[in-house]
């Protein structure tokens, strides 16, 4: 797979790794056709205990054992386990990728993620807000407008330095593409692209995508959002310590 | 990468990083290790060696070694500094904000190897690190070349930071250390391919570093108010697999 091909399937921060490890797309059909609208909400929900276990599997036990865990309900995420180390583990759904991600409504997506304390304070509120709006039946355009209004009113926090998350679960389903999964760490930086870290260049171990959009063509209002890029680096082991395929 | 350790965390982390290096160095890397030139006996001096031993006579070789720290797509447009008799000097002007250098023992080896003239550790820092972290590296080199001891260097750097003559770490400061070549000193001869991220006084736990199963290693230096996070990479700068 060429670098351009990899970038062509940069559909979300969640799918970057699977894009890297994919040898060929597993889904021949256009995801826009496969997932044009929200599926019945039941398809996005999980057994509560299974969701807690999956969420915790995003990071080594030494981290996730003492983390808070939030789970998805019909109306949004709610705390299932109160933690004591400041980390928050959860299972992201497809709509937490970029707004123009073709797998936005893919009900199979289960992205186990453990956010460090700065990310829990400054990234998670955006994800929870987006989830509540969409589960309440708001359109993407309405959700975008509501999030922008919340940013302008400072109801949503600015990005803190040192935000990162672990996505090292071997049980995640990130995308229909390739192997569906791969262990990695993600960083969040107030930047429009990855140049400052040398991401997306030949042989760089860092990949980056815009947090909000792929092209913003469909949702131009996203261009007025605060600059936010997600950086990703693959790691060689799953959270349980077993070796993972090289990316 | 400064390996000066003040606290137990730092010492432990240094050991962990050395273990990481061992784990990541497979057969191919043993060949690399054999290829490393060590022009002087591997007896670490306890005081400064003649300055010439710290210099590289072939500037082209030093530039190439410095650039080997990052993929060519990054390092080809980077500024390159080389070591002169009084400190680092610009040998190549860059245009992408990255700066590549070959670190010497004073900044890039364990304290026990402070005067080891064989140490050659290539690194490429990004623009944010060039404006913050790299200033410490170049300042330490100047002090060491002027004959200051480890203790004197530490005191001088701490004082410069306290007086704000050296800035805190800038947000987003990081560097590439993905070169196959180089020598990190007797304590940790060969580093794994990795990235580093620099922060001022950050609790390693914030990144989940140094915990069982975590891919992140952190080293804290309270004297410099510096926390360095290390994440191994799966490939060398040239794109070949680490394992």
């Amino acid at each position: 797979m060429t670098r351009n091909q990899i970038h062509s399937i940069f559909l979300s921060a969640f799918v970057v790794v699977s894009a890297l490890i994919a040898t060929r797309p597993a889904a021949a059909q256009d995801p826009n056709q496969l997932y044009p609208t929200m599926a019945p909400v039941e398809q996005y929900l999980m057994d509560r205990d299974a969701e807690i276990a999956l969420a915790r599997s995003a990071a080594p036990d030494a981290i996730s054992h003492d983390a808070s865990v939030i789970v998805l309900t019909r109306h949004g995420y709610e705390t299932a386990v109160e933690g004591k180390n400041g980390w928050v583990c959860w299972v992201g759904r497809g709509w937490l990728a970029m707004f123009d991600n073709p797998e936005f409504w893919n009900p199979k997506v289960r992205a186990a993620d453990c956010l460090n304390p700065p990310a829990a304070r400054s990234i998670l509120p955006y994800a929870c807000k987006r989830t509540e709006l969409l589960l309440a039946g708001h359109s993407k355009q309405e959700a975008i407008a509501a999030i922008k209004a919340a940013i302008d009113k400072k109801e949503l926090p600015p990005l803190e330095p040192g935000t990162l998350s672990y996505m090292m679960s071997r049980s995640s389903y990130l995308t229909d593409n390739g192997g569906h999964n791969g262990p990695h760490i993600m960083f969040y930086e107030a930047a429009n692209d990855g140049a400052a870290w040398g991401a997306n260049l030949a042989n760089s171990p860092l990949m980056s995508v815009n947090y909000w959009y792929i092209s913003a063509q469909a949702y131009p209002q996203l261009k007025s959002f605060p600059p936010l890029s997600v950086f990703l680096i693959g790691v060689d082991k799953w959270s349980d310590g077993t070796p993972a395929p090289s990316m | 990468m400064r390996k000066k350790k003040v606290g137990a965390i730092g010492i432990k982390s240094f050991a962990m990083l050395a273990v990481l290096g061992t784990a990541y160095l497979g057969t191919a890397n043993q060949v690399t290790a054999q290829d490393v030139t060590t022009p002087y006996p591997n007896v670490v001096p306890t005081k400064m060696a003649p300055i010439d031993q710290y210099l590289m006579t072939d500037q082209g070789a030093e530039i190439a070694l410095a650039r080997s720290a990052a993929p060519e797509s990054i390092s080809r447009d980077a500024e390159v500094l080389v070591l002169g008799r009084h400190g680092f000097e610009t040998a190549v002007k860059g245009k992408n904000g990255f700066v590549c250098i070959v670190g010497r023992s004073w900044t890039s080896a364990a304290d026990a190897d402070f005067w080891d003239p064989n140490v050659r550790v290539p690194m490429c820092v990004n623009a944010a690190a060039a404006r913050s972290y790299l200033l410490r590296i170049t300042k330490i080199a100047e002090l060491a070349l002027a004959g200051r001891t480890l203790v004197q260097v530490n005191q001088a750097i701490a004082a410069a930071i306290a007086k704000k003559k050296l800035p805190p770490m800038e947000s987003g400061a990081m560097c590439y250390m993905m070169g196959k070549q180089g020598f990190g000193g007797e304590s940790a001869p060969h580093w794994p391919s990795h990235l580093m991220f620099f922060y001022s006084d950050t609790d390693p736990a914030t990144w989940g570093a140094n915990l069982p199963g975590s891919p992140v290693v952190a080293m804290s230096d309270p004297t410099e108010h510096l926390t360095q996070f290390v994440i191994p990479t799966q490939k060398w700068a040239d794109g070949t697999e680490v394992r």
Side-chain angles (χ1 to χ4, degrees), chain A residues 2-174:
Chain A
T2 68
R3 197 77 172 179
N4 284 339
Q5 285 173 317
I6 290 171
H7 286 154
S8 73
I9 52 174
F10 261 10
L11 305 179
S12 75
F14 290 151
V15 306
V16 172
V17 167
S18 36
L20 283 167
I21 63 176
T23 54
R24 61 179 174 81
Q29 286 180 271
D30 180 356
N32 283 309
Q33 300 299 317
L34 287 173
Y35 312 110
T37 59
M38 187 177 186
V41 70
E42 289 78 13
Q43 294 187 25
Y44 299 100
L45 302 178
M46 290 182 68
D47 171 80
R48 189 179 178 93
D49 289 341
E51 184 160 357
I52 292 170
L54 177 57
R56 281 189 162 140
S57 72
D61 181 68
I63 295 170
S64 61
H65 183 269
D66 290 334
S68 293
V69 181
I70 62 173
V71 296
L72 186 68
T73 70
R74 290 177 174 274
H75 305 290
Y77 284 95
E78 68 176 30
T79 300
V81 179
E82 290 282 0
K84 52 186 179 184
N85 64 1
W87 289 69
V88 178
C89 299
W90 62 310
V91 180
R93 304 311 204 264
W95 60 73
L96 294 163
M98 298 88 102
F99 278 96
D100 47 359
N101 173 21
E103 294 190 60
F104 192 87
W105 292 121
N106 183 350
K108 295 193 290 294
V109 171
R110 300 286 186 272
D113 194 12
C114 285
L115 300 161
N116 77 339
R121 291 189 296 263
S122 61
I123 292 294
L124 191 57
Y126 288 84
C128 290
K129 177 81 172 175
R130 186 191 301 201
T131 298
E132 290 166 10
L133 290 163
L134 294 170
L135 288 179
H138 292 286
S139 67
K140 287 189 194 179
Q141 288 89 344
E142 290 170 343
I144 290 167
I147 292 169
K148 182 64 166 64
I151 292 171
D152 292 343
K153 293 176 186 172
K154 301 189 188 307
E155 293 171 354
L156 288 170
L159 182 69
E160 290 188 27
T163 60
L164 63 81
S165 70
Y166 284 60
M167 297 188 74
M168 296 171 60
S169 172
R170 63 185 311 145
S171 302
S172 284
Y173 188 99
L174 307 181

Side-chain angles (χ1 to χ4, degrees), chain A residues 60-63 85 87 116-118 161-164 166 168 185 187 189 195-199 201-206 233-239 241 243-247, chain B residues 24 71-74 96 98 126-128 171-174 176 178 195 197 199 205-209 211-216 231-241 243:
Chain A
D61 181 68
I63 295 170
N85 64 1
W87 289 69
N116 77 339
T163 60
L164 63 81
Y166 284 60
M168 296 171 60
I185 294 176
F187 303 89
E189 285 286 308
W197 284 18
L201 297 174
N203 289 330
S204 173
L206 287 165
I233 183 169
V235 297
D236 70 332
K237 290 187 175 70
W238 302 104
S239 61
S246 182
M247 291 181 291
Chain B
Y24 273 76
E72 194 259 346
S73 57
I74 295 170
N96 65 359
F98 280 81
N126 73 345
S171 178
M174 54 86 70
Y176 285 71
M178 293 174 61
L195 302 186
F197 300 85
Y199 286 82
T206 303
W207 279 39
L211 295 173
S214 173
V216 183
I231 301 181
T233 62
Q234 297 175 308
K235 292 180 180 175
W236 298 102
D238 63 6
T240 54
E241 297 283 338
R243 56 183 178 177

